[in-house]
Amino acid sequence: SGIAQARRERENALQAVQEVANRLYSIVESLSEGILITDPDDTILFVNRRMAEMTGYSVAEMVGRVAYELLLPPSQW
């Protein structure tokens, strides 16, 4: 039926998007550069392992925090 076909097509599309996302994540994690992504309020949304290593924090310690609080001394906040 048309509904079943539409559902299969949607599932296939979602699977393809997930595969691309997984590949991109693998690439970002393998970089020697640190990657940090924030929202407009400077809250950290994503950080790769290299950035965490560079700052001395773990990924879990960084995500959800305000970037400048981790990367700048308090005198520069």
Side-chain angles (χ1 to χ4, degrees), residues 28-76:
V28 168
E29 283 299 327
S30 69
L31 295 174
S32 59
E33 292 84 10
I35 304 291
L36 181 134
I37 300 172
T38 65
D39 69 8
D41 295 321
D42 291 327
T43 299
I44 299 170
L45 302 174
F46 174 83
V47 55
N48 68 348
R49 284 186 296 245
R50 180 64 184 129
M51 178 58 83
E53 291 169 2
M54 292 168 62
T55 63
Y57 294 100
S58 71
V59 171
E61 289 173 315
M62 295 184 76
V63 172
R65 302 276 304 274
V66 177
Y68 67 82
E69 291 177 354
L70 298 177
L71 305 176
L72 296 175
S75 62
Q76 294 183 3

